[in-house]
């Protein structure tokens, strides 16, 4: 079956995430005549910045739920696979449900599932359940091994693999950025009461130590030090719901993570994209920021260095190190459920249209 990774939905971005004039816009989903036509369309539209995306209107009932994969094998923690969820409507057409279905994992120490993305956390086996309109399907997931990705990053940096971008900031500034990002990924915290995680699909248990900034999209975006102080706030354990999404009251999202690491005012992914286009942020490599080609993006990735970032509408992450030999990067990434080290191949980033950029 041929996979096509193009965008399916017409997406309208809200200009500012916390603007008082911002609103969530509605967009009708696009249907196709067969599930196969939608495979490859929904999961690659994966985003974590829900505030910047329109509410998708979909029917309450479907006849069946079709998944592009029912068994997934991942090599190690930090890797991801994107699975499509397609609903069959009563009239026989099909609809993208990747963003609307409920994704959950029975073992979040092995894999975390959200909006079609299955992110490996550690070695083992888990079952991911995808549910919409009372219909459930499952995906059996295995992760072969757990790597010390921080050690992999440090080893790669020690060999000086990758080319420092001439467009970016100084080496000392990069060190500051990396230390800030590493702090948010490596931080440990222990709640004294239960805290509901992103979309209420996991719970941070009381008196249990966790590593990494929790994922959240509230006005209470925090860096490592701010989050540590917030744990003493009277409302830290108070439930928080926004746009019908349950989440921790304090934490960070992907663009907040990059903003804090770079030491700039709070941005959104759409702000980063427009900033590349207007010159606020420097492109890493050569590509057309309005209509970048996959080939140009893959060539540009070779120039990425620690402290640079990549972005598309809906998601962004920081580069930890660049393995040009194997055409992949290690990243500091704020993901649902926690900030973690991840790995991305040039091929995967290029297919998704991630644009490499850096702070001036």
């Amino acid at each position: 079956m041929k996979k096509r990774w193009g965008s399916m939905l017409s997406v309208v971005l809200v200009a500012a995430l916390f603007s008082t004039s911002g609103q969530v816009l509605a967009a009708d989903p696009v249907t196709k005549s067969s599930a196969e036509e939608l495979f490859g369309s929904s999961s690659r539209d994966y985003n974590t910045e829900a505030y910047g995306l329109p509410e998708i209107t979909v029917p309450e009932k479907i006849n069946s739920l079709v998944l592009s994969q029912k068994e997934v094998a991942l090599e190690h923690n930090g890797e991801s696979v994107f699975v499509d969820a397609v609903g069959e409507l009563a009239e026989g057409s099909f609809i993208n449900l990747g963003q609307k279905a409920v994704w959950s994992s029975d073992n979040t120490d092995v894999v975390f599932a959200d909006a079609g993305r299955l992110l490996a956390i550690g070695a083992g086996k888990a079952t991911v359940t995808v549910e919409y309109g009372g219909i459930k399907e499952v995906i059996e997931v295995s992760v072969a091994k757990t790597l010390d990705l921080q050690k992999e990053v440090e080893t790669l940096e020690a060999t000086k693999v990758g080319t420092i971008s001439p467009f970016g900031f100084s080496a000392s500034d990069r060190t500051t950025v990396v230390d800030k990002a590493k702090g948010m990924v490596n931080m440990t915290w222990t709640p004294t009461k239960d805290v509901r995680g992103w979309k209420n699909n996991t719970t941070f248990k009381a008196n249990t130590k966790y590593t990494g900034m929790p994922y959240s999209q509230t006005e209470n975006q925090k860096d490592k030090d701010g989050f540590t102080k917030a744990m003493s706030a009277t409302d830290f354990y108070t439930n928080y719901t926004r746009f019908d999404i349950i989440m921790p009251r304090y934490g960070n999202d992907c663009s907040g993570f990059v903003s804090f690491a770079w030491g700039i005012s709070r941005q959104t992914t759409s702000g980063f994209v427009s900033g590349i286009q207007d010159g606020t942020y420097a492109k890493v490599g050569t590509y057309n920021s309005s209509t970048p080609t996959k080939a140009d993006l893959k060539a540009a990735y070779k120039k990425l260095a620690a402290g640079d970032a990549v972005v598309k509408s809906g998601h962004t992450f920081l580069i930890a190190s660049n393995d040009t030999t194997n055409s992949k990067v290690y990243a500091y990434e704020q993901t649902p459920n926690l900030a973690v080290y991840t790995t991305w191949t040039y091929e995967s980033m290029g297919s998704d249209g991630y644009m490499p950029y850096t702070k001036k």
Side-chain angles (χ1 to χ4, degrees):
M1 182 183 300
K2 184 179 179 181
K3 300 276 186 179
R4 296 182 299 163
W5 304 115
S7 174
M8 186 192 72
L9 298 177
S10 175
V11 174
V12 181
L13 294 176
V14 178
L17 191 58
F18 300 116
S19 169
T20 56
S21 62
Q23 60 178 323
V24 179
L25 305 176
D28 290 330
V30 176
T31 58
K32 297 289 183 180
S33 59
S34 69
E36 288 80 0
E37 288 184 84
L38 287 181
F39 284 168
S41 297
S42 59
S43 63
R44 286 297 181 178
D45 285 337
Y46 172 79
N47 72 86
T48 62
E49 214 169 64
Y51 289 174
L53 292 171
E55 187 68 22
I56 302 170
T57 303
V58 294
E60 294 183 0
K61 294 183 179 180
I62 56 174
N63 284 353
S64 65
L65 183 64
V66 184
L67 303 179
S68 59
Q69 297 185 64
K70 299 297 292 292
E71 294 184 4
V72 169
L74 292 160
E75 184 64 23
H76 59 75
N77 53 306
E79 286 190 340
S80 298
V81 68
F82 296 85
V83 176
D84 299 299
V86 176
E88 181 186 11
L89 306 181
E91 67 272 18
S93 61
F94 292 81
I95 189 170
N96 171 345
L97 291 175
Q99 297 291 331
K100 276 296 187 179
V102 176
W103 300 74
S104 61
S105 169
D106 70 348
N107 191 341
T108 54
D109 290 331
V110 173
V111 65
F112 193 85
D114 179 66
R117 182 182 186 179
L118 277 54
L119 172 63
I121 304 299
K125 295 182 182 297
T127 299
V128 169
T129 301
V130 187
E131 180 178 2
Y132 184 84
I135 299 177
K136 297 181 180 180
E137 293 289 342
V138 299
I139 308 167
E140 299 301 331
V141 182
S142 64
V143 180
K145 56 188 176 182
T146 303
L147 298 179
D148 185 341
L149 293 182
Q150 181 177 354
K151 184 177 180 180
E152 299 271 334
V153 167
E154 292 171 350
T155 299
L156 193 58
E157 286 303 295
T159 61
K160 299 186 184 301
V161 173
T163 303
I164 298 296
S165 167
F167 308 103
F169 40 100
S170 68
S172 61
D173 285 339
R174 287 181 184 275
T175 298
T176 300
V177 169
V178 167
D179 287 346
K180 191 85 169 179
K182 192 182 299 183
M184 289 185 284
V185 170
N186 293 339
M187 62 176 281
T188 59
W189 57 288
T190 304
T192 58
K193 301 178 183 178
D194 287 357
V195 177
R196 296 191 295 177
W198 176 246
K199 295 182 180 178
N200 202 30
N201 60 7
T202 189
T203 299
F204 298 111
K205 296 291 186 180
N207 304 313
T208 302
K209 185 169 73 172
Y210 295 94
T211 300
M213 176 75 72
Y215 187 87
S216 188
Q217 290 186 352
T218 75
E219 64 275 17
N220 302 314
Q221 298 273 300
K222 300 294 181 182
D223 61 4
K224 175 187 174 182
D225 293 339
F227 182 80
T228 300
K229 292 178 181 178
M231 291 188 71
S232 300
T234 56
D235 61 352
F236 184 85
Y237 296 99
T238 305
N239 292 340
Y240 194 103
T241 302
R242 191 169 188 179
F243 295 141
D244 295 325
I245 299 175
I246 296 172
M247 65 190 80
R249 182 168 291 273
Y250 293 89
N252 222 337
D253 66 7
C254 60
S255 52
F257 182 93
V258 173
S259 299
F260 279 122
W262 278 6
I264 61 177
S265 61
R266 176 72 175 83
Q267 302 294 308
T268 65
T269 54
S270 57
F272 281 130
V273 170
S274 62
I276 295 172
Q277 295 169 343
D278 67 22
T280 301
Y281 307 106
K283 290 191 295 185
V284 174
T286 303
Y287 59 88
N288 184 323
S289 58
S290 296
T291 55
T293 67
K294 181 177 177 179
D296 285 345
L297 290 175
K298 290 175 68 174
Y301 298 149
K302 296 178 181 179
K303 298 182 179 296
L304 282 166
D308 293 334
V310 298
V311 67
K312 70 172 185 176
S313 292
H315 195 43
T316 185
F317 53 87
L318 278 171
I319 303 304
S321 59
N322 190 352
D323 185 353
T324 55
T325 301
N326 295 300
S327 298
K328 71 177 183 179
V329 299
Y330 294 81
Y332 305 111
E333 186 176 354
Q334 181 68 67
T335 69
N337 190 38
L338 294 163
V340 293
Y341 290 94
T342 59
T343 61
W344 289 76
T345 64
Y346 292 2
E347 175 68 23
S348 181
M349 290 191 297
S351 294
D352 288 357
Y354 280 101
M355 296 188 291
Y357 67 117
T358 194
K359 178 184 177 184
K360 285 186 174 179

